[in-house]
Amino acid sequence: MKSKLFRNVAQGIIVAVALLLVGGVAQADTYMNMYGTSEEANLWTGSSGLGMTLLTNLGCTSKKSYTTITDSNNTKSTLVVGGGCTGTDGGFIFLTYTNKASWDGIDAINGVFDTANWGTYNSTYTTLTPTANPCGAGNGDQRPVATAASCPGDATSCTGIAFSCQHIQVGVSNLEEAAIIQTTQGRLKGPMGGAYTCRGSQSQCNQTTATAAWPPYAGSSATAQQMLAYPFAIYVNPGVTSYRCSSASGTTYYNNFCIDDSNCGGTGGNHTLCIAQTIDNLSRQQIVALLSGQISNWDQFGVYYPSKPVTVCMRHAGAGTLSVLDLGVMQGSTDGKGWGWDMTTSENPVTSAAGPPYFYFNDLQSDETNCLAWADGKTFSGQDSLPSSVKSGAIGYVDADNADVSTSCANSPLNPGSWTNVGCYQRIKYNGWLPTRITMHDGIYDSFWTVDRMYYNTSGANALSPQQTTIMNQMISLAGNPTNLNSTTIPNQYLYYASPGELNFIRPGGNTFEYPLYQGCTNCASPDVVLKRKVK
């Protein structure tokens, strides 16, 4: 019978250590703990994902993906276990993936727990209360991740899945460390409240206590390996509308916009054929104007847009999504380009006397989608009170593979039909194009996409072991082959995720500050999604 036992080590610090007892001799299994941004959790810990292929390639005779668990900070972690694996002392391989944000993934690899950017503030952001590392002082390379208390028999029988502090072997970021230069101020969970948070440098956040610089991992000596490319998307509530001729009119007006039915082959003054429909597209200029705080009501875009106050749901600084949005779309002075506008960085809730536009910053991607759902009337504990005049007028941005609408809504993507429930939001086009693998591949989806970095150490005390190095090399090989990203391994993401080598357009040197250029694909054995143009 095989079992995993956890005990206290190193001066009372709790570290999750797996032991395999064979003939009374403790033999170590192999852990690969990945920590950072969210999207690669689908790739490595799904029940049919590349993690399963990886374990098969490593000779594991049994394997299982366990249910994702969530801690008090809403951090999610999934455990995949392989048993009977070759090349390990104990025969077990534990793959974990824990979601947080880009900044903390690289922090962990560099042995940093940034007490200030984990900390809380008073409402005027003048007093900082640092947050201590839950894994203990001096353990900056550890984070709570999913672990199994016992795996008797094989990988399919693990029990006692819970959070436990472990060393992080791979930190995942949406982009390079130097690109995380943004600052935000607001409550941790946007309209759902939480403590006041300022993410950014000491000077930007008025920090008076000693802390790491922002980015806290500047000058990292870790190895960065590009792993996965994917686009981000703009999402809106159904109340974000514009007047357009309905399909029943049989008439196409200029860009299908209309003022009344006379533009759609009907009688002027009526809105039977010219109806308010949820928008299906925003231009870069419109997005820049919205996210920089220039637009307080959607009707400022013109007579086609009915009146609705603007609410913006964003991520806190340190999230790669926010950094890519800043550098790839906003392109203001903070990133050195200066031919766009800087995004708004301070919260302005609906309870503020300042009025719209209302801005909320959110810690995790799930918090931002909660913000979008709240803005359409879904009820959450501790939420801000939502005025009826503000309801359903929000815009936000998350990974493009998110559902087009929340699961409580009965409506087709980009279809104005009936929205039967509250808490709805849908993905729209950016500059006329939906965010997909093929539009990113062909250079059509303009710069609102990224390539993940996997940070890990090849030397020093926290260097990968020979077994972990083998796993890392296998991961790089698997993700680098576009045929592996298919409808079987990632059935909900294969229309969006891409191997970096399959892209025709790429940022020079992987530098997120640079505009993508045509360089041609280096691994052009494209899967069916590219060859057959399945994306609509």
Side-chain angles (χ1 to χ4, degrees), residues 8-333:
N8 292 343
V9 297
Q11 291 143 1
I13 298 167
I14 297 178
V15 181
V17 179
L19 301 176
L20 181 69
L21 302 180
V22 179
V25 178
Q27 295 180 317
D29 300 307
T30 299
Y31 279 78
M32 182 65 89
N33 297 315
M34 297 170 280
Y35 180 89
T37 190
S38 61
E39 63 288 329
E40 296 210 24
N42 302 315
L43 191 64
W44 300 110
T45 57
S47 59
S48 61
L50 287 190
M52 292 298 186
T53 304
L54 172 67
L55 293 175
T56 297
N57 292 350
L58 294 170
C60 303
T61 57
S62 63
K63 51 188 181 292
K64 182 176 179 179
S65 175
Y66 287 87
T67 303
T68 299
I69 60 173
T70 305
D71 70 1
S72 59
N73 292 318
N74 206 27
T75 299
K76 298 179 179 180
S77 188
T78 301
L79 173 68
V80 172
V81 182
C85 310
T86 59
T88 66
D89 292 334
F92 278 80
I93 293 176
F94 295 86
L95 301 176
T96 74
Y97 200 103
T98 307
N99 303 347
K100 174 58 179 175
S102 292
W103 69 279
D104 203 42
I106 312 175
D107 261 6
I109 288 301
N110 285 279
V112 173
F113 185 89
D114 190 341
T115 59
N117 282 300
W118 273 92
T120 61
Y121 285 78
N122 62 341
S123 60
T124 58
Y125 303 98
T126 54
T127 303
L128 166 67
T129 303
T131 297
N133 186 349
C135 296
N139 295 314
D141 61 342
Q142 296 182 32
R143 297 293 186 273
V145 304
T147 54
S150 177
C151 291
D154 60 25
T156 65
S157 56
C158 298
T159 60
I161 310 299
F163 278 93
S164 180
C165 289
Q166 292 200 35
H167 295 280
I168 301 301
Q169 283 78 44
V170 179
V172 186
S173 172
N174 287 145
L175 66 183
E176 71 275 24
E177 61 193 43
I180 303 178
I181 56 176
Q182 296 73 28
T183 297
T184 58
Q185 292 182 342
R187 290 166 296 172
L188 187 66
K189 296 185 180 295
M192 268 55 81
Y196 286 94
T197 301
C198 181
R199 295 258 168 87
S201 70
Q202 278 186 290
S203 59
Q204 292 170 317
C205 292
N206 300 316
Q207 294 170 9
T208 57
T209 59
T211 183
W214 182 263
Y217 31 75
S220 168
S221 59
T223 297
Q225 174 71 49
Q226 293 193 19
M227 184 67 75
L228 184 71
Y230 57 94
F232 299 114
I234 301 296
Y235 288 77
V236 298
N237 288 156
V240 180
T241 61
S242 61
Y243 282 109
R244 305 194 300 280
C245 295
S246 71
S247 57
S249 70
T251 302
T252 301
Y253 192 55
Y254 182 68
N255 278 337
N256 213 35
F257 284 118
C258 56
I259 298 175
D260 58 35
D261 284 1
S262 64
N263 303 134
C264 306
T267 302
N270 296 322
H271 283 95
T272 302
L273 301 176
C274 175
I275 60 176
Q277 306 174 43
T278 303
I279 64 171
D280 63 357
N281 178 61
L282 284 172
S283 70
R284 175 182 172 268
Q285 288 184 349
Q286 289 176 305
I287 292 170
V288 168
L290 286 161
L291 272 58
S292 60
Q294 300 175 52
I295 303 296
S296 60
N297 194 297
W298 287 95
D299 64 10
Q300 290 176 256
F301 285 130
V303 294
Y304 308 119
Y305 294 81
S307 177
K308 179 69 67 172
V310 170
T311 300
V312 183
C313 295
M314 304 179 73
R315 293 287 302 278
H316 269 297
T321 323
L322 183 79
S323 297
V324 173
L325 177 75
D326 183 27
L327 275 60
V329 178
M330 299 300 291
Q331 298 178 346
S333 60

